[in-house]
Amino acid sequence: MNRYQSIDGLVSADGATQNRQIYWNEDIYQQELEQVFARSWLFLTHDSMIPNPGDFVTAFMGEDRVIVARGRDGTVRAFLNSCNHRGNIVCRADSGNARSFVCNYHGWAYGLDGALVNVPLEADIYGEGFDRSTLGLKSVRVESHRGFLFGNFDASAPSLVDYLGEMAWYFDTFMDVPGGSELLGPPIKVRIKANWKFFAENFVGDFYHAGWTHAAALEVIGGALAAVSGNKMVAPGFQFATTFGHGFNASPGTDEMFPHVHQGEIARQFEDWMRSRIPVVRERLGKERASIYNAIWDGTMFPNTSFLRGIDTWKVWQPRGPKELEVWTWTLVERDMPEALKQGIRHTNEKTFGAAGMLEGDDGENMEGNTHSSAGWVTRNERLNSEMGLGNDGPHPDFPSQVSEPADNEAAQRNFLRMWETMMTARDWDEIMAVRRGEHGT
Ligand code: FES
Ligand SMILES: [Fe+2]
């Protein structure tokens, strides 16, 4: 590990305060790319985006470009998208179907598994010692959870399912329904001048901001969430914080009340779907998960994959330096939903969390303010506060992980930041797992 700057004390031992440098300092950011992004499971794409042999998408893992391709054998593989000759981007398309990937600069060609398969004029201009087999694109570990594909650069990292820990059980609330869930793409991409962690933290547990930041938008949207607009009430619900930093809030409905932000005909279709589906989920996954299947969720899988249910968005916060990020947004739907409902949900998602989305716009302005005001010479060493509900979380008889009530709490944010601090300082995954399992008793 290259040490750029000491991390000690930047996040307090209980996670409740943070030094603001973690949100803008370039040295810390470079350390993040190495210690966090190069060792974590990062979202790549969903099976539904690349169903056929030869289908591919290009993605990012931190700032590393990767190609994710389905081989002739049906296996999905990922590898760096940077040519081993002189470094050019090998594939500039967002997605497509290919037999091979040919670099623009001199024409080196790589197969669907990243192997270097053709070098123009090889026999004429390269010597005997030239060995194509050593010049393939560096491969990435790829694992899937119910069709959601993730990559990891670290051979010693735990399996995806172990890394998800308790979160796998919660993900299955919507990923393990009959037919499963899928994403509608291609992703919408938006640049925002803010640190990626402010968004990841916001989704992991900040229900508190919804009634204030989004007060006007929630009034316009109407439905169940309008009740919290202007902080008229504290919404009922739970917050969950898992061993490896993943977490979420869930604010449940009832058998006759379905929290969501859809409007008009889409709302009616969505409610019909939920009404018919809740008994199926209860039968398949049990009453505990059925109770949160019908809920508004905001969640983050550490470090930079976030999602909402009831708004049905799936996001990756792609870091672009400490003070900028690119937000990639897909629409999250159940595969067995009628096509008209899927397209209706896509419409709601674009209206709320797309490029000009009402809710994304509200959040972006705040996150830019958080990031850039924290860089001032004096301001930078003032600490930020996340102490809401400190000590109120603990084990729950029905739900795994640390649980707190109501959803207005900052336990999941503290847990996210503690995971970040552990990864920034730990030598290897053995140490990360020992520290985190020690803190959670898991
Ligand atoms: S840089 Fe790719 S072929 Fe030369
Ligand atoms: Fe928000």
Side-chain angles (χ1 to χ4, degrees):
M1 177 177 73
N2 298 317
R3 266 312 181 95
Y4 304 91
Q5 152 146 8
S6 171
I7 300 301
D8 292 344
L10 295 183
V11 176
S12 64
D14 59 7
T17 71
Q18 311 88 36
N19 184 298
R20 295 170 185 239
Q21 290 189 54
I22 70 171
Y23 297 104
W24 60 264
N25 183 303
E26 178 68 33
D27 284 350
I28 292 174
Y29 174 71
Q30 291 300 325
Q31 203 165 332
E32 250 173 12
L33 292 180
E34 178 184 4
Q35 293 284 98
V36 177
F37 285 92
R39 304 199 293 182
S40 297
W41 285 100
L42 305 173
F43 182 71
L44 298 174
T45 191
H46 188 274
D47 267 339
S48 55
M49 302 282 111
I50 47 171
N52 302 310
D55 285 352
F56 71 89
V57 295
T58 49
F60 280 88
M61 296 174 64
E63 294 211 45
D64 288 295
R65 291 171 182 270
V66 295
I67 298 171
V68 187
R70 190 176 296 278
R72 298 282 154 219
D73 59 356
T75 302
V76 176
R77 298 181 182 83
F79 36 87
L80 288 182
N81 185 11
S82 179
C83 184
N84 280 332
H85 181 218
R86 304 309 306 152
N88 195 13
I89 299 166
V90 175
C91 178
R92 290 172 186 266
D94 291 338
S95 62
N97 185 280
R99 271 196 285 270
S100 62
F101 302 100
V102 182
C103 179
N104 255 355
Y105 198 175
H106 310 90
W108 284 22
Y110 299 89
L112 292 170
D113 58 357
L116 180 59
V117 293
N118 189 53
V119 171
L121 304 175
E122 178 181 346
D124 302 310
I125 53 181
Y126 280 98
E128 286 288 301
F130 182 73
D131 183 359
R132 271 198 279 119
S133 72
T134 64
L135 289 166
L137 299 172
K138 182 181 173 64
S139 68
V140 175
R141 282 176 73 187
V142 176
E143 291 183 20
S144 163
H145 187 73
R146 310 214 186 275
F148 290 73
L149 294 158
F150 295 83
N152 197 318
F153 285 118
D154 187 347
S156 70
S159 67
L160 174 62
V161 72
D162 284 349
Y163 174 86
L164 286 171
E166 308 96 315
M167 197 67 193
W169 190 83
Y170 291 109
F171 267 164
D172 285 351
T173 304
F174 56 93
M175 291 183 183
D176 190 27
V177 293
S181 281
E182 64 179 2
L183 298 181
L184 307 181
I188 300 164
K189 300 175 182 176
V190 176
R191 286 268 181 149
I192 298 177
K193 293 192 179 304
N195 185 275
W196 67 273
K197 291 191 293 302
F198 277 127
F199 278 97
E201 278 175 41
N202 174 269
F203 274 64
V204 85
D206 196 334
F207 201 81
Y208 185 39
H209 84 295
W212 190 255
T213 289
H214 301 304
L218 295 182
E219 285 292 348
V220 172
I221 291 167
L225 273 182
V228 300
S229 168
N231 287 336
K232 288 194 287 286
M233 61 177 284
V234 174
F238 301 93
Q239 187 175 80
F240 305 86
T242 73
T243 304
F244 294 116
H246 328 304
F248 67 103
N249 294 316
S251 184
T254 66
D255 279 357
E256 282 310 314
M257 194 276 276
F258 311 97
H260 61 79
V261 298
H262 306 298
Q263 292 174 301
E265 176 59 18
I266 307 167
R268 193 190 60 72
Q269 287 182 25
F270 182 80
E271 293 183 6
D272 284 350
W273 174 260
M274 293 301 285
R275 204 173 275 116
S276 69
R277 206 62 165 181
I278 292 167
V280 176
V281 172
R282 189 175 290 135
E283 176 72 24
R284 184 180 176 102
L285 299 173
K287 65 177 176 17
E288 294 79 14
R289 281 185 286 184
S291 73
I292 54 171
Y293 171 74
N294 178 31
I296 287 271
W297 296 32
D298 52 86
T300 292
M301 172 184 162
F302 186 91
N304 67 330
T305 304
S306 293
F307 62 96
L308 300 167
R309 276 182 48 74
I311 302 173
D312 303 310
T313 187
W314 183 272
K315 288 177 173 289
V316 175
W317 315 109
Q318 311 278 16
R320 294 291 179 268
K323 297 180 185 173
E324 189 163 4
L325 80 162
E326 194 166 286
V327 186
W328 289 23
T329 303
W330 294 259
T331 300
L332 174 65
V333 295
E334 289 180 37
R335 191 169 294 156
D336 287 354
M337 283 174 166
E339 190 57 30
L341 176 56
K342 290 183 186 179
Q343 293 309 322
I345 292 173
R346 185 205 288 268
H347 180 69
T348 300
N349 186 26
E350 287 170 357
K351 203 168 61 179
T352 52
F353 278 97
M358 286 189 276
L359 301 175
E360 184 114 316
D362 291 343
D363 288 326
E365 195 176 336
N366 289 337
M367 304 310 165
E368 292 190 355
N370 300 351
T371 302
H372 292 272
S373 73
S374 289
W377 180 253
V378 174
T379 316
R380 66 182 56 175
N381 286 314
E382 295 293 300
R383 293 184 78 85
L384 297 176
N385 183 288
S386 306
E387 69 174 67
M388 189 197 306
L390 191 62
N392 287 353
D393 57 324
H396 189 281
D398 295 334
F399 295 107
S401 77
Q402 299 294 308
V403 182
S404 40
E405 204 178 345
D408 282 323
N409 202 302
E410 289 175 338
Q413 291 95 311
R414 290 189 290 274
N415 184 58
F416 174 93
L417 288 160
R418 292 297 306 151
M419 176 65 181
W420 179 87
E421 199 267 352
T422 303
M423 289 205 80
M424 289 290 278
T425 52
R427 275 185 315 279
D428 53 32
W429 264 102
D430 285 345
E431 186 179 340
I432 296 166
M433 288 195 281
V435 170
R436 297 301 302 168
R437 289 187 166 147
E439 284 189 17
H440 276 255
T442 49

